[in-house]
Amino acid sequence: DGPINFGPRDHFWGCLSEGFYEPIYKMPYNPPYYNDLFIQYGFQNYFNQYTYHVPLRAGKMDEVIYLNGEHLTRDPDYHFECIDKRQVDKYAADFITIFNAAWARFPGVKPMRLEQAKQMFRSMKLVADTRAIIFGYYRKEPVSFFIMIPDLYEIIRKFNGKFGWIQKAQLYYYLKIRKINKRLVGLIFGVIPRFQGKGTAAGMILRFEKEVAKASFHYTDLEMNWIGDFNPQMMKLVSQIGGKIKKTHITYRYLFDRSRPFDRARKLG
C-alpha cells in the first residue's frame, strides 16, 4: 500500500489526485503525474481519502444536526466541554479510552498507550486552541472527542524551511498574539461505538458552534482531513455541517500475486 506514513495514519498519507491547492499542516502534496506513475506500475485505487472544507458560520448547518444534538444538551447525563490545558494528562487518559474503543478496531490501527497519548497532548499544548478541542461525557465517563488545531502551515510557510529560535518566537507571536491564521485543521473525531447514532457527534458539534458564534473567535474555515470513502457515515456527517470535498488523496494497493482479484477497501458499518 502507498503512499503511507509509518507513523500516524492521519499524517502524510496518500497521493494527492484532486485539489492541488496549498497544503495544510502535515498533509502531503505532490505533482499530478505521481498518480500516473503508480497506475503505470500496476497499483490500483484501494481507497480515497477526502479533505472537506467547512466554512465556520454559526447557524448554517443542516437541520438534522440541531434535531439530533439539542436533546442531549438538555440531558443532565451528557456533558460537552472544551479542554482545560491545566489538565492535559486527564484528557490524554480520556482520549485513549475513546480512541481504543472507536478506532483501534479498524484494520491497521493499533491501540494507543497512555504514555503515547500524554506525549501527543503535551506536544499539542504549545499550539492548541482550547476552543477547538471538544470532549463529550456520559455520566462523567468519556464517550467522544473532536480535536482540531490551528493550521500551522499558514505561518510556517513564511520561514523558508528554517525553524530556529527566531522562527519559534515568530510562530508564537503570529499564533497567539497577532492570530493571523484563519484556518483550523480537523485532526481526529471519535465516538465510542455504543454511543454512535445517539446524537453524541451532533452534541459535540453544537458545543463547538457556541465558540464559533463568539465575537472573539477569529477562525473562518475548517478543513477536515483523512475521511475515507469507506466511511460513509462520517462523510454524511461532514456534509451535514456544510462540508464540501476540497481535496482527494488516493491510497494505492499493489497485489504481488497478479492472478488474485482486486478488492477495494471494505466499507464500514
Side-chain angles (χ1 to χ4, degrees):
D1 292 351
I4 65 168
N5 173 31
F6 289 102
R9 219 178 194 193
D10 58 329
H11 295 161
F12 306 115
W13 195 296
C15 188
L16 182 64
S17 66
E18 295 180 24
F20 292 89
Y21 310 106
E22 65 177 16
I24 57 177
Y25 186 59
K26 292 191 175 182
M27 287 296 284
Y29 185 92
N30 54 264
Y33 72 84
Y34 275 39
N35 295 276
D36 297 331
L37 293 177
F38 277 105
I39 293 169
Q40 289 169 11
Y41 192 85
F43 284 81
Q44 293 172 269
N45 183 325
Y46 185 48
F47 59 80
N48 292 328
Q49 59 216 60
Y50 299 119
T51 297
Y52 281 77
H53 171 255
V54 182
L56 293 177
R57 300 190 301 269
K60 298 294 184 179
M61 296 184 293
D62 194 304
E63 186 179 357
V64 70
I65 295 293
Y66 300 101
L67 291 175
N68 289 342
E70 283 184 345
H71 74 282
L72 292 190
T73 62
R74 297 189 297 269
D75 188 333
D77 287 337
Y78 284 88
H79 173 66
F80 301 97
E81 67 184 40
C82 299
I83 69 163
D84 182 342
K85 282 188 177 181
R86 296 168 297 181
Q87 302 183 60
V88 290
D89 286 354
K90 178 254 188 196
Y91 289 107
D94 292 346
F95 174 83
I96 62 166
T97 297
I98 302 161
F99 179 88
N100 289 341
W103 281 102
R105 60 195 177 99
F106 296 147
V109 181
K110 294 181 179 180
M112 186 175 287
R113 293 178 288 106
L114 179 58
E115 195 53 45
Q116 287 177 289
K118 285 183 178 180
Q119 183 178 355
M120 182 185 78
F121 271 76
R122 288 168 187 165
S123 65
M124 281 199 309
K125 185 177 179 180
L126 299 174
V127 299
D129 188 322
T130 57
R131 300 170 297 178
I133 303 179
I134 313 294
F135 273 74
Y137 297 87
Y138 176 73
R139 295 179 179 174
K140 298 184 179 181
E141 295 297 319
V143 297
S144 62
F145 57 65
F146 185 14
I147 297 178
M148 299 160 279
I149 65 168
D151 181 13
L152 301 185
Y153 180 75
E154 290 185 282
I155 300 173
I156 64 175
R157 68 183 178 185
K158 306 175 187 295
F159 297 166
N160 196 29
K162 299 177 182 178
F163 201 61
W165 66 268
I166 293 177
Q167 288 76 27
K168 291 177 181 178
Q170 288 176 327
L171 175 62
Y172 181 85
Y173 174 71
Y174 288 124
L175 189 66
K176 302 295 186 180
I177 300 174
R178 284 281 304 279
K179 298 181 180 180
I180 66 170
N181 52 310
K182 301 299 182 184
R183 186 164 56 216
L184 289 173
V185 178
L187 290 186
I188 188 168
F189 191 107
V191 179
I192 287 179
R194 68 188 180 94
F195 287 91
Q196 293 174 5
K198 296 184 177 181
T200 311
M204 283 193 296
I205 292 167
L206 291 183
R207 177 62 186 85
F208 177 56
E209 190 186 42
K210 290 183 179 179
E211 301 301 319
V212 173
K214 294 177 180 177
S216 60
F217 194 84
H218 64 284
Y219 304 101
T220 58
D221 300 273
L222 166 65
E223 293 206 5
M224 295 283 292
N225 59 7
W226 221 114
I227 299 177
D229 63 2
F230 51 80
N231 192 349
Q233 290 182 331
M234 191 64 188
M235 292 173 63
K236 181 179 179 181
L237 176 64
V238 178
S239 68
Q240 288 172 341
I241 64 174
K244 304 289 184 185
I245 294 175
K246 184 176 182 180
K247 300 175 186 175
T248 301
H249 289 77
I250 298 174
T251 295
Y252 290 100
R253 170 164 285 190
Y254 183 90
L255 298 181
F256 291 102
D257 182 352
R258 306 304 288 170
S259 65
R260 290 186 60 183
F262 181 86
D263 296 317
R264 297 191 81 242
R266 181 171 55 87
K267 282 188 169 24
L268 302 177

